[in-house]
Amino acid sequence: MTAHDYAWIRSSPLFRHALEAGYTLTLVRDVAPGAVLRVMEAEPQGVCTGVDPLIGRQYELLDATDYRDASFIAGAFTVPGESGDWTVVLRFDGGGMRPRFVEALSSKGGRAVVHSSNGGKPIDLFHWYEDGKLRTTFEWPTAREGSAPGTLNPVMREVGFDLSDDEGDTGAPVDTKAAVLALAERLTGVRVTEELLRDAEYQLGQVPEEPAEEWNKIVIDITDADGERFYKEVTR
């Protein structure tokens, strides 16, 4: 699979909505949809057939909370892939997948792959987790991070990424989002198609807003243009 095999995303109404509204697509090996949603601390919301009801439930949630709540609706279903079954988790609000969820879902020899866009003026991200650890992540393919940022270089080149830092490169442009989907397939064996996402039977769950972190101190440290410094610690 290469970026060419995912050229369909540019003529897909579903994927156009995903890019405009924001989306996160997560693939998890050998963890059933219900178990994935439990790890995500989701409250069960029944089952729906097709992606349109999933999108509709997300908008209903946003309307009910007047867009002020960061909770979201996730839909999950199972497909066969490399070395077992994979659960596909889809959400439409561009909030990404919380790292602690993916770490837990990929622990004990597991694997998880996540790609997302936050919509609008997008930040497009890719994450590959193995055995509970983030192996490779990037927004730009030439600026990779993680515990093994270079491991995927050969397969990234094969699917179409240009990993050179040469600004004068005149090679054919690559659709990086299509290349990300091809890379995800290489890591999972799951071919994502419009039909797969459009017609799946989704188990639904409402994932609550992440609680605010507790704090007991803040530090104000400001130096003005004349070199005068103001420093103060405020303790709760």
Side-chain angles (χ1 to χ4, degrees), residues 144-163:
R144 300 174 302 282
E145 299 178 350
S147 64
T151 300
L152 296 181
N153 287 9
V155 70
M156 288 180 70
R157 291 189 177 95
E158 288 176 10
V159 302
F161 284 109
D162 179 3
L163 300 185

mmCIF file with all atom_site columns, all heavy atoms in Angstrom, residues 144-163:
data_model
loop_
_atom_site.group_PDB
_atom_site.id
_atom_site.type_symbol
_atom_site.label_atom_id
_atom_site.label_alt_id
_atom_site.label_comp_id
_atom_site.label_asym_id
_atom_site.label_entity_id
_atom_site.label_seq_id
_atom_site.pdbx_PDB_ins_code
_atom_site.Cartn_x
_atom_site.Cartn_y
_atom_site.Cartn_z
_atom_site.occupancy
_atom_site.B_iso_or_equiv
_atom_site.pdbx_formal_charge
_atom_site.auth_seq_id
_atom_site.auth_comp_id
_atom_site.auth_asym_id
_atom_site.auth_atom_id
_atom_site.pdbx_PDB_model_num
ATOM 1   N N   . ARG A 1 144 ? 10.503 13.638 13.346 1.00 0.00 ? 144 ARG A N   1
ATOM 2   C CA  . ARG A 1 144 ? 9.907  12.536 14.091 1.00 0.00 ? 144 ARG A CA  1
ATOM 3   C C   . ARG A 1 144 ? 10.468 12.482 15.508 1.00 0.00 ? 144 ARG A C   1
ATOM 4   O O   . ARG A 1 144 ? 11.639 12.796 15.732 1.00 0.00 ? 144 ARG A O   1
ATOM 5   C CB  . ARG A 1 144 ? 10.171 11.212 13.365 1.00 0.00 ? 144 ARG A CB  1
ATOM 6   C CG  . ARG A 1 144 ? 9.586  11.179 11.964 1.00 0.00 ? 144 ARG A CG  1
ATOM 7   C CD  . ARG A 1 144 ? 9.975  9.909  11.208 1.00 0.00 ? 144 ARG A CD  1
ATOM 8   N NE  . ARG A 1 144 ? 11.423 9.757  11.092 1.00 0.00 ? 144 ARG A NE  1
ATOM 9   C CZ  . ARG A 1 144 ? 12.180 10.425 10.230 1.00 0.00 ? 144 ARG A CZ  1
ATOM 10  N NH1 . ARG A 1 144 ? 11.639 11.329 9.424  1.00 0.00 ? 144 ARG A NH1 1
ATOM 11  N NH2 . ARG A 1 144 ? 13.482 10.218 10.173 1.00 0.00 ? 144 ARG A NH2 1
ATOM 12  N N   . GLU A 1 145 ? 9.633  12.049 16.444 1.00 0.00 ? 145 GLU A N   1
ATOM 13  C CA  . GLU A 1 145 ? 10.033 11.888 17.830 1.00 0.00 ? 145 GLU A CA  1
ATOM 14  C C   . GLU A 1 145 ? 9.564  10.535 18.328 1.00 0.00 ? 145 GLU A C   1
ATOM 15  O O   . GLU A 1 145 ? 8.904  9.787  17.604 1.00 0.00 ? 145 GLU A O   1
ATOM 16  C CB  . GLU A 1 145 ? 9.464  13.021 18.696 1.00 0.00 ? 145 GLU A CB  1
ATOM 17  C CG  . GLU A 1 145 ? 9.940  14.407 18.290 1.00 0.00 ? 145 GLU A CG  1
ATOM 18  C CD  . GLU A 1 145 ? 9.327  15.501 19.143 1.00 0.00 ? 145 GLU A CD  1
ATOM 19  O OE1 . GLU A 1 145 ? 8.394  15.200 19.917 1.00 0.00 ? 145 GLU A OE1 1
ATOM 20  O OE2 . GLU A 1 145 ? 9.790  16.647 19.040 1.00 0.00 ? 145 GLU A OE2 1
ATOM 21  N N   . GLY A 1 146 ? 9.876  10.226 19.596 1.00 0.00 ? 146 GLY A N   1
ATOM 22  C CA  . GLY A 1 146 ? 9.501  8.959  20.183 1.00 0.00 ? 146 GLY A CA  1
ATOM 23  C C   . GLY A 1 146 ? 10.732 8.155  20.558 1.00 0.00 ? 146 GLY A C   1
ATOM 24  O O   . GLY A 1 146 ? 11.868 8.594  20.349 1.00 0.00 ? 146 GLY A O   1
ATOM 25  N N   . SER A 1 147 ? 10.517 6.948  21.091 1.00 0.00 ? 147 SER A N   1
ATOM 26  C CA  . SER A 1 147 ? 11.644 6.132  21.524 1.00 0.00 ? 147 SER A CA  1
ATOM 27  C C   . SER A 1 147 ? 12.395 5.508  20.355 1.00 0.00 ? 147 SER A C   1
ATOM 28  O O   . SER A 1 147 ? 13.545 5.092  20.508 1.00 0.00 ? 147 SER A O   1
ATOM 29  C CB  . SER A 1 147 ? 11.157 5.027  22.470 1.00 0.00 ? 147 SER A CB  1
ATOM 30  O OG  . SER A 1 147 ? 10.284 4.132  21.802 1.00 0.00 ? 147 SER A OG  1
ATOM 31  N N   . ALA A 1 148 ? 11.760 5.417  19.184 1.00 0.00 ? 148 ALA A N   1
ATOM 32  C CA  . ALA A 1 148 ? 12.413 4.834  17.996 1.00 0.00 ? 148 ALA A CA  1
ATOM 33  C C   . ALA A 1 148 ? 12.013 5.621  16.758 1.00 0.00 ? 148 ALA A C   1
ATOM 34  O O   . ALA A 1 148 ? 11.344 5.099  15.862 1.00 0.00 ? 148 ALA A O   1
ATOM 35  C CB  . ALA A 1 148 ? 12.038 3.366  17.853 1.00 0.00 ? 148 ALA A CB  1
ATOM 36  N N   . PRO A 1 149 ? 12.401 6.894  16.669 1.00 0.00 ? 149 PRO A N   1
ATOM 37  C CA  . PRO A 1 149 ? 11.897 7.760  15.594 1.00 0.00 ? 149 PRO A CA  1
ATOM 38  C C   . PRO A 1 149 ? 12.348 7.365  14.194 1.00 0.00 ? 149 PRO A C   1
ATOM 39  O O   . PRO A 1 149 ? 11.717 7.759  13.215 1.00 0.00 ? 149 PRO A O   1
ATOM 40  C CB  . PRO A 1 149 ? 12.437 9.137  15.975 1.00 0.00 ? 149 PRO A CB  1
ATOM 41  C CG  . PRO A 1 149 ? 13.634 8.869  16.822 1.00 0.00 ? 149 PRO A CG  1
ATOM 42  C CD  . PRO A 1 149 ? 13.302 7.619  17.586 1.00 0.00 ? 149 PRO A CD  1
ATOM 43  N N   . GLY A 1 150 ? 13.432 6.598  14.081 1.00 0.00 ? 150 GLY A N   1
ATOM 44  C CA  . GLY A 1 150 ? 13.914 6.230  12.758 1.00 0.00 ? 150 GLY A CA  1
ATOM 45  C C   . GLY A 1 150 ? 13.500 4.854  12.289 1.00 0.00 ? 150 GLY A C   1
ATOM 46  O O   . GLY A 1 150 ? 13.759 4.483  11.138 1.00 0.00 ? 150 GLY A O   1
ATOM 47  N N   . THR A 1 151 ? 12.826 4.086  13.143 1.00 0.00 ? 151 THR A N   1
ATOM 48  C CA  . THR A 1 151 ? 12.501 2.701  12.809 1.00 0.00 ? 151 THR A CA  1
ATOM 49  C C   . THR A 1 151 ? 11.633 2.587  11.559 1.00 0.00 ? 151 THR A C   1
ATOM 50  O O   . THR A 1 151 ? 11.787 1.657  10.763 1.00 0.00 ? 151 THR A O   1
ATOM 51  C CB  . THR A 1 151 ? 11.797 2.019  13.991 1.00 0.00 ? 151 THR A CB  1
ATOM 52  O OG1 . THR A 1 151 ? 12.666 2.052  15.128 1.00 0.00 ? 151 THR A OG1 1
ATOM 53  C CG2 . THR A 1 151 ? 11.427 0.587  13.673 1.00 0.00 ? 151 THR A CG2 1
ATOM 54  N N   . LEU A 1 152 ? 10.716 3.513  11.381 1.00 0.00 ? 152 LEU A N   1
ATOM 55  C CA  . LEU A 1 152 ? 9.766  3.428  10.268 1.00 0.00 ? 152 LEU A CA  1
ATOM 56  C C   . LEU A 1 152 ? 10.284 4.064  8.984  1.00 0.00 ? 152 LEU A C   1
ATOM 57  O O   . LEU A 1 152 ? 9.561  4.081  7.982  1.00 0.00 ? 152 LEU A O   1
ATOM 58  C CB  . LEU A 1 152 ? 8.442  4.095  10.656 1.00 0.00 ? 152 LEU A CB  1
ATOM 59  C CG  . LEU A 1 152 ? 7.671  3.450  11.809 1.00 0.00 ? 152 LEU A CG  1
ATOM 60  C CD1 . LEU A 1 152 ? 6.369  4.220  12.054 1.00 0.00 ? 152 LEU A CD1 1
ATOM 61  C CD2 . LEU A 1 152 ? 7.366  1.988  11.523 1.00 0.00 ? 152 LEU A CD2 1
ATOM 62  N N   . ASN A 1 153 ? 11.501 4.583  8.978  1.00 0.00 ? 153 ASN A N   1
ATOM 63  C CA  . ASN A 1 153 ? 11.992 5.303  7.801  1.00 0.00 ? 153 ASN A CA  1
ATOM 64  C C   . ASN A 1 153 ? 11.855 4.519  6.501  1.00 0.00 ? 153 ASN A C   1
ATOM 65  O O   . ASN A 1 153 ? 11.349 5.050  5.505  1.00 0.00 ? 153 ASN A O   1
ATOM 66  C CB  . ASN A 1 153 ? 13.448 5.727  8.003  1.00 0.00 ? 153 ASN A CB  1
ATOM 67  C CG  . ASN A 1 153 ? 13.581 6.868  8.988  1.00 0.00 ? 153 ASN A CG  1
ATOM 68  O OD1 . ASN A 1 153 ? 12.620 7.235  9.655  1.00 0.00 ? 153 ASN A OD1 1
ATOM 69  N ND2 . ASN A 1 153 ? 14.772 7.423  9.093  1.00 0.00 ? 153 ASN A ND2 1
ATOM 70  N N   . PRO A 1 154 ? 12.281 3.240  6.437  1.00 0.00 ? 154 PRO A N   1
ATOM 71  C CA  . PRO A 1 154 ? 12.162 2.519  5.163  1.00 0.00 ? 154 PRO A CA  1
ATOM 72  C C   . PRO A 1 154 ? 10.723 2.403  4.670  1.00 0.00 ? 154 PRO A C   1
ATOM 73  O O   . PRO A 1 154 ? 10.441 2.648  3.488  1.00 0.00 ? 154 PRO A O   1
ATOM 74  C CB  . PRO A 1 154 ? 12.767 1.142  5.481  1.00 0.00 ? 154 PRO A CB  1
ATOM 75  C CG  . PRO A 1 154 ? 13.694 1.387  6.625  1.00 0.00 ? 154 PRO A CG  1
ATOM 76  C CD  . PRO A 1 154 ? 13.024 2.448  7.446  1.00 0.00 ? 154 PRO A CD  1
ATOM 77  N N   . VAL A 1 155 ? 9.806  2.034  5.564  1.00 0.00 ? 155 VAL A N   1
ATOM 78  C CA  . VAL A 1 155 ? 8.424  1.875  5.130  1.00 0.00 ? 155 VAL A CA  1
ATOM 79  C C   . VAL A 1 155 ? 7.785  3.234  4.831  1.00 0.00 ? 155 VAL A C   1
ATOM 80  O O   . VAL A 1 155 ? 6.939  3.348  3.936  1.00 0.00 ? 155 VAL A O   1
ATOM 81  C CB  . VAL A 1 155 ? 7.601  1.074  6.168  1.00 0.00 ? 155 VAL A CB  1
ATOM 82  C CG1 . VAL A 1 155 ? 7.368  1.853  7.435  1.00 0.00 ? 155 VAL A CG1 1
ATOM 83  C CG2 . VAL A 1 155 ? 6.261  0.652  5.575  1.00 0.00 ? 155 VAL A CG2 1
ATOM 84  N N   . MET A 1 156 ? 8.195  4.286  5.539  1.00 0.00 ? 156 MET A N   1
ATOM 85  C CA  . MET A 1 156 ? 7.671  5.618  5.236  1.00 0.00 ? 156 MET A CA  1
ATOM 86  C C   . MET A 1 156 ? 8.058  6.037  3.819  1.00 0.00 ? 156 MET A C   1
ATOM 87  O O   . MET A 1 156 ? 7.246  6.602  3.083  1.00 0.00 ? 156 MET A O   1
ATOM 88  C CB  . MET A 1 156 ? 8.169  6.637  6.260  1.00 0.00 ? 156 MET A CB  1
ATOM 89  C CG  . MET A 1 156 ? 7.521  6.485  7.629  1.00 0.00 ? 156 MET A CG  1
ATOM 90  S SD  . MET A 1 156 ? 8.103  7.701  8.847  1.00 0.00 ? 156 MET A SD  1
ATOM 91  C CE  . MET A 1 156 ? 7.362  9.212  8.205  1.00 0.00 ? 156 MET A CE  1
ATOM 92  N N   . ARG A 1 157 ? 9.283  5.754  3.425  1.00 0.00 ? 157 ARG A N   1
ATOM 93  C CA  . ARG A 1 157 ? 9.698  6.069  2.053  1.00 0.00 ? 157 ARG A CA  1
ATOM 94  C C   . ARG A 1 157 ? 8.909  5.239  1.045  1.00 0.00 ? 157 ARG A C   1
ATOM 95  O O   . ARG A 1 157 ? 8.513  5.737  -0.013 1.00 0.00 ? 157 ARG A O   1
ATOM 96  C CB  . ARG A 1 157 ? 11.191 5.831  1.897  1.00 0.00 ? 157 ARG A CB  1
ATOM 97  C CG  . ARG A 1 157 ? 12.068 6.822  2.655  1.00 0.00 ? 157 ARG A CG  1
ATOM 98  C CD  . ARG A 1 157 ? 13.532 6.672  2.284  1.00 0.00 ? 157 ARG A CD  1
ATOM 99  N NE  . ARG A 1 157 ? 14.353 7.665  2.955  1.00 0.00 ? 157 ARG A NE  1
ATOM 100 C CZ  . ARG A 1 157 ? 14.995 7.449  4.093  1.00 0.00 ? 157 ARG A CZ  1
ATOM 101 N NH1 . ARG A 1 157 ? 14.916 6.256  4.690  1.00 0.00 ? 157 ARG A NH1 1
ATOM 102 N NH2 . ARG A 1 157 ? 15.715 8.405  4.649  1.00 0.00 ? 157 ARG A NH2 1
ATOM 103 N N   . GLU A 1 158 ? 8.668  3.971  1.385  1.00 0.00 ? 158 GLU A N   1
ATOM 104 C CA  . GLU A 1 158 ? 7.942  3.100  0.464  1.00 0.00 ? 158 GLU A CA  1
ATOM 105 C C   . GLU A 1 158 ? 6.514  3.587  0.216  1.00 0.00 ? 158 GLU A C   1
ATOM 106 O O   . GLU A 1 158 ? 6.013  3.497  -0.902 1.00 0.00 ? 158 GLU A O   1
ATOM 107 C CB  . GLU A 1 158 ? 7.900  1.675  1.018  1.00 0.00 ? 158 GLU A CB  1
ATOM 108 C CG  . GLU A 1 158 ? 9.229  0.945  0.960  1.00 0.00 ? 158 GLU A CG  1
ATOM 109 C CD  . GLU A 1 158 ? 9.143  -0.418 1.623  1.00 0.00 ? 158 GLU A CD  1
ATOM 110 O OE1 . GLU A 1 158 ? 8.016  -0.855 1.945  1.00 0.00 ? 158 GLU A OE1 1
ATOM 111 O OE2 . GLU A 1 158 ? 10.200 -1.043 1.818  1.00 0.00 ? 158 GLU A OE2 1
ATOM 112 N N   . VAL A 1 159 ? 5.842  4.100  1.257  1.00 0.00 ? 159 VAL A N   1
ATOM 113 C CA  . VAL A 1 159 ? 4.450  4.535  1.062  1.00 0.00 ? 159 VAL A CA  1
ATOM 114 C C   . VAL A 1 159 ? 4.364  5.906  0.414  1.00 0.00 ? 159 VAL A C   1
ATOM 115 O O   . VAL A 1 159 ? 3.281  6.313  -0.026 1.00 0.00 ? 159 VAL A O   1
ATOM 116 C CB  . VAL A 1 159 ? 3.654  4.531  2.385  1.00 0.00 ? 159 VAL A CB  1
ATOM 117 C CG1 . VAL A 1 159 ? 3.653  3.150  3.002  1.00 0.00 ? 159 VAL A CG1 1
ATOM 118 C CG2 . VAL A 1 159 ? 4.165  5.571  3.368  1.00 0.00 ? 159 VAL A CG2 1
ATOM 119 N N   . GLY A 1 160 ? 5.490  6.637  0.335  1.00 0.00 ? 160 GLY A N   1
ATOM 120 C CA  . GLY A 1 160 ? 5.468  7.893  -0.422 1.00 0.00 ? 160 GLY A CA  1
ATOM 121 C C   . GLY A 1 160 ? 5.992  9.111  0.279  1.00 0.00 ? 160 GLY A C   1
ATOM 122 O O   . GLY A 1 160 ? 6.109  10.173 -0.335 1.00 0.00 ? 160 GLY A O   1
ATOM 123 N N   . PHE A 1 161 ? 6.343  9.017  1.568  1.00 0.00 ? 161 PHE A N   1
ATOM 124 C CA  . PHE A 1 161 ? 6.861  10.183 2.271  1.00 0.00 ? 161 PHE A CA  1
ATOM 125 C C   . PHE A 1 161 ? 8.225  10.595 1.716  1.00 0.00 ? 161 PHE A C   1
ATOM 126 O O   . PHE A 1 161 ? 9.069  9.749  1.413  1.00 0.00 ? 161 PHE A O   1
ATOM 127 C CB  . PHE A 1 161 ? 7.027  9.890  3.770  1.00 0.00 ? 161 PHE A CB  1
ATOM 128 C CG  . PHE A 1 161 ? 5.751  9.883  4.543  1.00 0.00 ? 161 PHE A CG  1
ATOM 129 C CD1 . PHE A 1 161 ? 5.230  8.684  5.027  1.00 0.00 ? 161 PHE A CD1 1
ATOM 130 C CD2 . PHE A 1 161 ? 5.072  11.059 4.816  1.00 0.00 ? 161 PHE A CD2 1
ATOM 131 C CE1 . PHE A 1 161 ? 4.064  8.669  5.759  1.00 0.00 ? 161 PHE A CE1 1
ATOM 132 C CE2 . PHE A 1 161 ? 3.895  11.047 5.545  1.00 0.00 ? 161 PHE A CE2 1
ATOM 133 C CZ  . PHE A 1 161 ? 3.387  9.853  6.015  1.00 0.00 ? 161 PHE A CZ  1
ATOM 134 N N   . ASP A 1 162 ? 8.434  11.897 1.622  1.00 0.00 ? 162 ASP A N   1
ATOM 135 C CA  . ASP A 1 162 ? 9.746  12.448 1.306  1.00 0.00 ? 162 ASP A CA  1
ATOM 136 C C   . ASP A 1 162 ? 10.402 12.811 2.628  1.00 0.00 ? 162 ASP A C   1
ATOM 137 O O   . ASP A 1 162 ? 9.968  13.726 3.313  1.00 0.00 ? 162 ASP A O   1
ATOM 138 C CB  . ASP A 1 162 ? 9.598  13.686 0.412  1.00 0.00 ? 162 ASP A CB  1
ATOM 139 C CG  . ASP A 1 162 ? 10.938 14.314 0.061  1.00 0.00 ? 162 ASP A CG  1
ATOM 140 O OD1 . ASP A 1 162 ? 11.979 13.751 0.458  1.00 0.00 ? 162 ASP A OD1 1
ATOM 141 O OD2 . ASP A 1 162 ? 10.929 15.363 -0.604 1.00 0.00 ? 162 ASP A OD2 1
ATOM 142 N N   . LEU A 1 163 ? 11.453 12.104 2.993  1.00 0.00 ? 163 LEU A N   1
ATOM 143 C CA  . LEU A 1 163 ? 12.114 12.328 4.281  1.00 0.00 ? 163 LEU A CA  1
ATOM 144 C C   . LEU A 1 163 ? 13.354 13.195 4.150  1.00 0.00 ? 163 LEU A C   1
ATOM 145 O O   . LEU A 1 163 ? 14.115 13.345 5.109  1.00 0.00 ? 163 LEU A O   1
ATOM 146 C CB  . LEU A 1 163 ? 12.493 10.987 4.920  1.00 0.00 ? 163 LEU A CB  1
ATOM 147 C CG  . LEU A 1 163 ? 11.323 10.039 5.196  1.00 0.00 ? 163 LEU A CG  1
ATOM 148 C CD1 . LEU A 1 163 ? 11.803 8.803  5.945  1.00 0.00 ? 163 LEU A CD1 1
ATOM 149 C CD2 . LEU A 1 163 ? 10.208 10.724 5.969  1.00 0.00 ? 163 LEU A CD2 1
#
